[in-house]
Amino acid sequence: MDLAFLNAVYANGGPYVCAYLDTSRTAEEPDRETARRSRRVCEALVDQGADAATVAAVAGVVGCDREIAGRHGQAIVAVRGRVVLAEELPVPPARDEAAFTALPDLMPLVVQFAPGIRYVAATVHCLPLPYAEPADELEVACQAGVWPGSAVAPGDCHLMRGPAVSWLDGAGQEAADGIAALACSTDAEAIVLAGIAWVRNVLADNLDGRWRKRTVTCDGDGYPAPRGRALMEEELAAAFEGRLRSADRARVDLFQARRTGRHGAVEGLSDAVAALQRSQAGTLLLNVPVGFPVELRVGVPVLRTGPPEADPGPYGALGFCAGPAGAAVIRAAVRTGAELIVVPRDQLPLTDGLGALLRYAGPERAPHPHGPAVG
């Protein structure tokens, strides 16, 4: 996963307001429930010393972007009266959280966006015409996305229609070409087909060899999608369960080979942090569920409500005193341009749940006598 989209969060320094909320629309009165959660979060931030302008900025974006059906959440980061990040989360947080802090904890956000597989979903269904047989007209709906983030941030849904009688006489090829063109333009690595079995089989047969090898067919229809949700969400979840991007799978294999040879890879929180300090970590590997064993000690002054200190560079403020290690690790990865791969623990158990592929040869172990520290 490329973490460059988080650069703007750290651009101006803190202190930050960081909030995670359940904005699901499953309650009897969802708008009232969201407003109640927003008030509680804002009250907690005021109690922690956050300024009124920043609290108001957070309140202004809670649940207001668009209406999304079902269960979901929202992550918000704001600083000095301005929201610098507001992202929809496919899964709501276990509980609403809000912190006024020197460093925002973005670990829960990035974990939800992994593995980040680019795909095209296509499903075919009958479109009855007036006074005609139900199967006289067929419609193909297709949509590109990046799984699983696009579950609650879907792209445009493209529709292609045609008579069923012409499906074997060119219409199937035309639809397959349209799906392949969308996959090419979005750099997709998978096509997922659903809907009427014989029609999706025609689609698969009409894809060229490059895409046929990357195609997954599944039962179900998935159309129409609920408001604000991705097309074929359940089918996509089943197709991508436990799967990594192909590039990430190659990096995981490389990490395992280097780990065996004890060169070019490190493992454990202390050694991974040391590699980040040297800007040596090219790719971080992170186990889920996340469970770092310790907090990360850093050389940052105690949080003040006055003007923030000037940012001392990539390493001088990678975390905050007695704070979560995950917050510091993610910031360090963003600031040093390291990519992130989230790997289920049962696929690749890592010491402390963290490992790193190194960009260049050099010292790969830097023991910390009092535990990991940055600053």
Side-chain angles (χ1 to χ4, degrees):
M1 180 191 304
D2 185 352
L3 299 175
F5 75 102
L6 296 176
N7 270 314
V9 173
Y10 306 108
N12 299 311
Y16 296 88
V17 159
C18 183
Y20 291 90
L21 299 92
D22 184 340
T23 50
S24 301
R25 301 192 64 81
T26 54
E28 187 172 336
E29 297 182 85
D31 292 328
R32 177 176 292 184
E33 176 63 16
T34 298
R36 182 186 69 83
R37 291 178 179 274
S38 178
R39 284 194 303 272
R40 291 180 58 186
V41 161
C42 290
E43 289 168 0
L45 291 171
V46 170
D47 290 343
Q48 294 175 52
D51 61 282
T54 305
V55 173
V58 170
V61 299
V62 173
C64 73
D65 277 354
R66 56 193 175 86
E67 189 173 301
I68 303 173
R71 297 179 69 250
H72 54 87
Q74 194 173 19
I76 302 169
V77 180
V79 58
R80 297 195 291 280
R82 184 169 63 93
V83 172
V84 293
L85 180 143
E87 294 284 353
E88 306 294 342
L89 301 175
V91 179
R95 62 182 182 278
D96 295 341
E97 297 181 1
F100 182 51
T101 176
L103 187 68
D105 186 2
L106 300 183
M107 182 68 78
L109 169 68
V110 299
V111 165
Q112 285 220 28
F113 279 16
I117 298 173
R118 294 186 178 275
Y119 69 89
V120 167
T123 183
V124 60
H125 49 274
C126 296
L127 187 69
L129 296 173
Y131 314 110
E133 292 298 321
D136 274 358
E137 183 95 348
L138 295 176
E139 180 177 73
V140 178
C142 60
Q143 185 179 67
V146 182
W147 185 259
S150 55
V152 289
D156 294 334
C157 187
H158 306 272
L159 300 176
M160 296 174 282
R161 298 176 180 176
V165 294
S166 68
W167 197 254
L168 298 176
D169 299 322
Q173 183 64 64
E174 183 178 348
D177 289 345
I179 293 168
L182 181 60
C184 286
S185 66
T186 57
D187 199 24
E189 65 174 83
I191 294 175
V192 182
L193 301 179
I196 301 171
W198 74 268
V199 185
R200 70 173 187 251
N201 290 338
V202 171
L203 281 174
D205 289 342
N206 280 287
L207 290 169
D208 64 34
R210 170 194 175 190
W211 292 113
R212 200 176 305 133
K213 291 186 294 186
R214 304 183 187 183
T215 297
V216 177
T217 59
C218 50
D219 295 329
D221 189 332
Y223 182 85
R227 182 187 295 272
R229 311 292 303 208
L231 187 70
M232 295 168 49
E233 188 175 344
E234 291 185 6
E235 290 80 7
L236 291 169
F240 296 140
E241 183 178 6
R243 180 170 168 177
L244 298 176
R245 295 189 310 161
S246 56
D248 289 347
R249 172 51 60 190
R251 289 190 183 98
V252 168
D253 293 342
L254 178 60
F255 174 84
Q256 290 178 295
R258 288 185 175 182
R259 181 172 65 172
T260 300
R262 298 182 178 275
H263 183 73
V266 296
E267 186 175 2
L269 181 59
S270 181
D271 289 330
V273 165
L276 287 167
Q277 287 178 302
R278 295 188 295 267
S279 196
Q280 192 179 8
T283 302
L284 288 180
L285 289 81
L286 174 73
N287 276 159
V288 285
V290 178
F292 289 147
V294 294
E295 293 182 330
L296 200 59
R297 300 183 301 101
V298 296
V300 176
V302 176
L303 179 65
R304 303 186 288 116
T305 57
E309 298 291 337
D311 188 346
Y315 317 119
L318 296 183
F320 54 93
C321 294
V329 166
I330 293 301
R331 182 187 185 277
V334 173
R335 295 300 303 275
T336 59
E339 294 200 356
L340 179 72
I341 302 174
V342 177
V343 188
R345 195 177 299 272
D346 58 1
Q347 290 188 22
L348 178 67
L350 298 166
T351 302
D352 298 336
L354 190 65
L357 273 171
L358 304 183
R359 290 188 172 109
Y360 60 87
E364 299 176 10
R365 291 190 175 275
H368 298 278
H370 304 294
V374 178

